[in-house]
Amino acid sequence: AGLVVTCVVALSSFGALNSCLYLSARQFYATARDGLFPALLARTNAKSAPHYAILATGAWTVALIAVMSSFATLVNYLSAAMWLYCGLVGVAVVVSRRRDPDAVRPYQVPGYPVVPFMYSAVCLCLSGSTFVAAPLPCTAALLFVAAAFPIHWVCFVWLPRRGARDMAPAGEGGGEDVYGYDRLSPSQYGPVS
């Protein structure tokens, strides 16, 4: 019985690893395609697989394994952020439907709004239980995720606006906003490279 359970857990872990690898690679690919990651990650091979993004995901995984002290630390580090992110997806379903109730939706969530609420609540509980079990790795994970917000704002909002403002002829740029930066549309400063 112990061998059967071990094999089932190993197969389940392999399946989860496989799906996480391809999901993460597709996120790298889409972000690069939008101009927010290096363009190399947006390239695909003859079968339309984002091979460079898959390799980058593997490299990132190896780097995390090398930095973490144990596999359990790595699982706790990633689980807290992952469950929180998944819970926010459930919240996004509700927010999306409230903001744009007439949008065409090819898939209807059964049991809406109870199902997204329960899903988000379960994800929050799973994230919370991970915090209780390992507060230090979970706090580090959330600080790492939170660091993305100011970095994104500086690299992809502030710097492009500043560069476009400096390059715009006098009298153009659409006026000052409350933060003192010109209001520019993305077409005025072009894609970020």
Side-chain angles (χ1 to χ4, degrees), residues 18 29 70 77 82 123 133 188:
N18 188 38
Y29 165 75
S70 68
Y77 182 85
M82 183 196 69
C123 289
Q188 287 175 289

Side-chain angles (χ1 to χ4, degrees), residues 64-129:
L64 284 176
I65 291 170
V67 169
M68 298 296 163
S69 60
S70 68
F71 183 73
T73 304
L74 179 63
V75 168
N76 288 330
Y77 182 85
L78 296 175
S79 295
M82 183 196 69
W83 284 118
L84 197 57
Y85 171 78
C86 289
L88 289 174
V89 169
V91 172
V93 169
V94 175
V95 170
S96 170
R97 287 185 178 237
R98 297 251 175 171
R99 283 191 182 164
D100 196 6
D102 299 326
V104 176
R105 292 181 171 80
Y107 177 78
Q108 298 295 322
V109 176
Y112 175 83
V114 174
V115 170
F117 174 75
M118 288 175 47
Y119 174 75
S120 295
V122 168
C123 289
L124 183 63
C125 288
L126 289 170
S127 186
S129 67

Side-chain angles (χ1 to χ4, degrees), residues 89-187:
V89 169
V91 172
V93 169
V94 175
V95 170
S96 170
R97 287 185 178 237
R98 297 251 175 171
R99 283 191 182 164
D100 196 6
D102 299 326
V104 176
R105 292 181 171 80
Y107 177 78
Q108 298 295 322
V109 176
Y112 175 83
V114 174
V115 170
F117 174 75
M118 288 175 47
Y119 174 75
S120 295
V122 168
C123 289
L124 183 63
C125 288
L126 289 170
S127 186
S129 67
T130 307
F131 261 97
V132 170
L136 188 60
C138 294
T139 302
L142 289 186
L143 289 174
F144 184 78
V145 170
F149 292 102
I151 291 169
H152 179 272
W153 189 83
V154 167
C155 294
F156 301 109
V157 177
W158 184 73
L159 285 175
R161 284 182 181 175
R162 182 181 173 121
R165 182 191 65 206
D166 292 345
M167 293 179 2
E172 295 184 13
E176 297 286 320
D177 66 12
V178 293
Y179 299 108
Y181 302 112
D182 292 336
R183 282 191 213 129
L184 300 172
S185 68
S187 64

Side-chain angles (χ1 to χ4, degrees), residues 26-37:
R26 287 289 175 177
Q27 289 171 337
F28 281 18
Y29 165 75
T31 307
R33 193 183 58 207
D34 291 344
L36 301 175
F37 271 9

